[in-house]
Amino acid sequence: MLDDESGARIPVLLYHAVMDDPPDWIAGFAVTPRQFGSHLDAIEVSGRTPVTVGTLVDCLAGSGPLPPRPVVLTFDDGFADLPGPTAEALAGRGMPATAYLTTGAITPGRDSLLPPAPMMTLSRTPLLEQYGMEVGAHTATHPQLDTLPPAALHRELREPKAALEDVLGHEVRHLAYPHGYNSRAVRRAAAAAGYASAAAVRHALSSREDETYRIARLIVRRGHTAADVEAWMEGRGAPVAPFPDSLPTVGWRLYRRTRALVRGPVFAG
């Protein structure tokens, strides 16, 4: 049973690939199907209630309730496992989730900054909703948004929203920043592009006071065990958002902006 304090801390988990043999570049942020199952077991035992990002955002905006002990599961990029065994595992447990898709990486004939990997296709996006998943955008090419000039930033936010809305037939309201990189200008641009929310990373627990355009998420790595998930479900093991950017974060942003001026857009690693 969670106490009142831990119940006010909201774990928003960030997954990428769920596969036994992921490409090397994403392996550190991938979990095996067996690991994933143990994580879902830990969530079930915790008494947390899985909700979508949309449900969380409605609460942050003051227009909707949350269950007493919520948890949010999110998936970035659109790896091939997502509309298959991963969505099936979630649906089998009655767990809603939110998938943020990089449209350039899942659209045949389009390019992205993501290295090669087994990816789903844009045409399979409606299947995610059939499994009970909410769909959001994760840009078109996966750049570091806080290093882009305004016109490029505009394209990266508008194009994936339009592509996903075209294939789904309804509005796409939520965005995730590649690797969480954002700034005040990026957050303003996300709102101007028509998104109702945007998810960052921060490797922190969210809360009912979190920022709608900088929702904190806990990034799940290959080494995270069921015990780590249990701690997060208890509201332990990470700071609680909102909180201001640290000096190292600000310094890293300035370095990346300078690098982008010299080298151009690069993968958001």
Side-chain angles (χ1 to χ4, degrees):
M1 180 66 70
L2 296 169
D3 59 29
D4 289 342
E5 183 179 356
S6 60
R9 300 171 180 177
I10 304 171
V12 182
L13 306 187
L14 164 53
Y15 286 94
H16 290 87
V18 181
M19 56 181 69
D20 284 310
D21 190 23
D24 288 345
W25 69 269
I26 196 64
F29 299 96
V31 297
T32 68
R34 183 173 180 178
Q35 278 180 286
F36 186 55
S38 71
H39 293 182
L40 298 185
D41 287 341
I43 292 169
E44 283 191 325
V45 170
S46 75
R48 291 272 183 180
T49 300
V51 299
T52 63
V53 165
T55 299
L56 173 60
V57 169
D58 287 344
C59 171
L60 296 179
S63 60
L66 275 177
R69 298 187 295 277
V71 59
V72 184
L73 287 82
T74 69
F75 298 81
D76 279 11
D77 299 328
F79 290 92
D81 61 274
L82 190 57
T86 298
E88 291 168 3
L90 293 165
R93 297 172 185 256
M95 292 184 170
T98 298
Y100 294 110
L101 305 181
T102 304
T103 53
I106 66 173
T107 304
R110 296 293 299 275
D111 295 321
S112 81
L113 295 170
L114 291 174
M119 305 299 289
M120 62 176 280
T121 57
L122 182 65
S123 63
R124 301 197 75 193
T125 304
L127 184 58
L128 297 177
E129 293 193 333
Q130 293 175 30
Y131 278 116
M133 298 187 78
E134 175 182 59
V135 175
H138 195 41
T139 72
T141 69
H142 208 276
Q144 303 182 29
L145 291 177
D146 58 345
T147 69
L148 298 182
L153 174 60
H154 178 85
R155 286 194 302 271
E156 288 290 344
L157 298 177
R158 299 275 183 170
E159 287 184 7
K161 191 175 193 297
L164 292 170
E165 289 176 347
D166 184 60
V167 74
L168 292 172
H170 62 75
E171 184 183 13
V172 169
R173 302 177 61 239
H174 307 293
L175 169 74
Y177 307 120
H179 278 226
Y181 293 147
N182 68 95
S183 64
R184 288 181 181 176
V186 170
R187 296 193 291 273
R188 287 195 299 267
Y195 292 103
S197 81
V201 178
R202 317 204 85 187
H203 199 64
L205 294 152
S206 186
S207 71
R208 288 171 172 81
E209 290 74 44
D210 205 356
E211 300 169 81
T212 304
Y213 288 92
R214 189 161 55 162
I215 297 170
R217 295 191 288 172
L218 295 154
I219 188 165
V220 182
R221 300 174 185 267
R222 177 170 53 184
H224 284 128
T225 66
D228 295 311
V229 176
E230 289 170 4
W232 294 335
M233 295 306 108
E234 293 170 359
R236 298 186 291 104
V240 182
F243 50 81
D245 286 336
S246 66
L247 287 177
T249 295
V250 173
W252 176 236
R253 182 182 301 131
L254 292 173
Y255 166 77
R256 289 185 295 98
R257 286 176 174 171
T258 303
R259 182 178 62 180
L261 288 173
V262 176
R263 296 173 53 187
V266 296
F267 172 57

